[in-house]
Amino acid sequence: MRRELHAEWTKLRTTTGPGRLLLALVALTAAASAAAAATVSCPSAGCNYDVPKLSLIGVQLGQAIVAILAVLTISGEYGTGMIRTTLTAMPRRGAVLAAKAAILTGLTLVAGTVAVLGCVLAGRLILPGNGFTPAHGYPPLSLADGPTLRAAAGSVLYLVLIALFSLGVATVVRDSAVAIGVVFGLLYVFSILPFMIADPDWQRLLWDISPMNAGLSIQATVHLSSLPLSPWAGLGVLAAWAAAALLGGGLLLRQRDV
């Protein structure tokens, strides 16, 4: 698969769009977390915040950029017609999709790590000035703390899984606008459905299968017993969505003429 990897890396490296999206991922994710940290406060009477999760709230914005990058990785070629050239030069279609997924994973890992570190740094610098101090039970954010490290590392994995999920969806539908609409709908619209239904059993089910709600459970560090899903189980739900999307996309890619 070396040839496919080299080709996909060359495509991404020689176009300006992916680089700008990766920079936007880092900047906007950290900025959103900084803005959230600046707007909350912990009064002298105390408060009840999950500080690591609060500091990582920018991931909810960053995932949109990751989704757009992933969708354009393949649907952009369908839009320009370059996909025919790609599949003619590299007829092993499964290998082409795997190469796209591998390059996308590497880029998202790097940019996502920088973005998440920026979120943690923003929380560490801003929150103490808003009352989140050791006196109120909130020591400075540190990756040396096990739950905080798990939330941060899990957030990076979350972004990677969002990228793979979006790539799979884009491979299925092939159109950029439709693919982005489907991904955003499954992430953002699906996430609010549990709050629109009164039946508690349906609420729990919809929460458990929502890719965003379940996946972001990985950021929780307090009151874990009250969560519908444990942090790693929630991330597993998102992994299942990503695997299903990639499998469906791979099968359709092999069966279609293009």
Side-chain angles (χ1 to χ4, degrees):
M1 200 173 72
R2 183 179 301 174
R3 189 161 67 101
E4 288 84 359
L5 285 170
H6 182 266
E8 294 304 322
W9 171 243
T10 301
K11 291 177 192 175
L12 289 174
R13 183 170 52 83
T14 55
T15 55
T16 58
R20 291 175 179 174
L21 286 171
L22 291 170
L23 288 175
L25 167 62
V26 173
L28 294 180
T29 301
S33 284
T39 57
V40 298
S41 62
C42 186
S44 57
C47 54
N48 187 28
Y49 283 100
D50 187 341
V51 171
K53 185 173 184 177
L54 174 63
S55 298
L56 293 167
I57 198 169
V59 170
Q60 297 184 33
L61 173 61
Q63 67 180 350
I65 302 170
V66 168
I68 293 171
L69 171 64
V71 165
L72 294 179
T73 298
I74 188 165
S75 63
E77 292 194 52
Y78 277 106
T80 61
M82 280 296 296
I83 191 67
R84 293 183 180 276
T85 303
T86 296
L87 297 180
T88 299
M90 297 176 291
R92 295 192 305 161
R93 299 188 174 197
V96 170
L97 183 59
K100 289 181 181 294
I103 297 297
L104 185 62
T105 295
L107 291 175
T108 307
L109 270 175
V110 174
T113 298
V114 176
V116 166
L117 289 176
C119 292
V120 174
L121 180 61
R124 182 180 175 91
L125 295 177
I126 297 172
L127 289 174
N130 292 343
F132 292 88
T133 62
H136 292 159
Y138 294 105
L141 278 177
S142 172
L143 294 179
D145 175 60
T148 301
L149 177 60
R150 186 256 298 153
S155 294
V156 177
L157 294 177
Y158 175 86
L159 291 173
V160 170
L161 290 172
I162 290 295
L164 295 177
F165 168 62
S166 303
L167 176 63
V169 170
T171 307
V172 171
V173 303
R174 296 182 288 186
D175 181 86
S176 298
V178 174
I180 291 172
V182 170
V183 171
F184 282 10
L186 288 171
L187 290 179
Y188 295 107
V189 178
F190 201 164
S191 69
I192 65 175
L193 288 181
F195 303 101
M196 302 172 64
I197 296 176
D199 187 285
D201 293 331
W202 277 102
Q203 284 182 344
R204 174 66 181 265
L205 175 62
L206 290 173
W207 186 279
D208 287 351
I209 63 175
S210 164
M212 180 173 166
N213 289 337
L216 287 177
S217 297
I218 195 65
Q219 294 182 344
T221 64
V222 297
H223 308 306
L224 299 185
S225 61
S226 65
L227 294 176
L229 289 171
S230 67
W232 290 112
L235 200 64
V237 170
L238 178 57
W241 278 92
L246 282 174
L247 178 61
L251 290 174
L252 288 174
L253 185 63
R254 288 186 175 187
Q255 294 174 1
R256 291 167 173 158
D257 291 336
V258 177

